[in-house]
Amino acid sequence: MEAKNDRIQLRIQPEVKRLLREAVAASHTTLSDLVSQAAQARAVEILTERDRIALSPKAAQTFADALSQPSAVNARLAEALGSPQTFQWLE
């Protein structure tokens, strides 16, 4: 297991700190582990939501139909496709 060397400082309200300490005592873990695990779980949830689209069955079928029948390329789209890219994909 890799050593934990990075630190994060948080400012929280006293009642939140008391709640966290109570949870630490009940879970037999450390405050660092409790906060780190909760933050990591939430970060994964946020990033998963960003990469996922939830559709109703009807909307999913409409989307699939649109993908299977692409529109014709008009002059405006052809011009846009021919111009240099001015954006970068997020990683």
Side-chain angles (χ1 to χ4, degrees):
M1 180 188 251
E2 190 175 327
K4 301 175 190 175
N5 294 322
D6 289 345
R7 291 182 171 268
I8 297 176
Q9 292 184 333
L10 302 172
R11 294 185 184 275
I12 58 174
Q13 297 174 340
E15 51 276 7
V16 173
K17 187 175 181 179
R18 280 192 294 279
L19 179 67
L20 292 175
R21 291 210 181 275
E22 188 176 334
V24 164
S27 64
H28 306 290
T29 187
T30 65
L31 181 58
S32 290
D33 285 344
L34 179 76
V35 172
S36 177
Q37 290 167 5
Q40 183 177 358
R42 182 65 177 129
V44 168
E45 182 181 312
I46 290 168
L47 295 176
T48 299
E49 288 174 3
R50 182 185 74 174
D51 296 337
R52 181 183 56 197
I53 300 171
L55 299 174
S56 68
K58 182 178 179 183
Q61 186 59 53
T62 301
F63 183 70
D65 292 345
L67 290 177
S68 66
Q69 301 171 3
S71 298
V73 176
N74 61 26
R76 187 173 172 199
L77 177 57
E79 181 183 343
L81 292 172
S83 64
Q85 284 186 338
T86 58
F87 65 92
Q88 294 180 344
W89 291 106
L90 299 176
E91 294 184 22

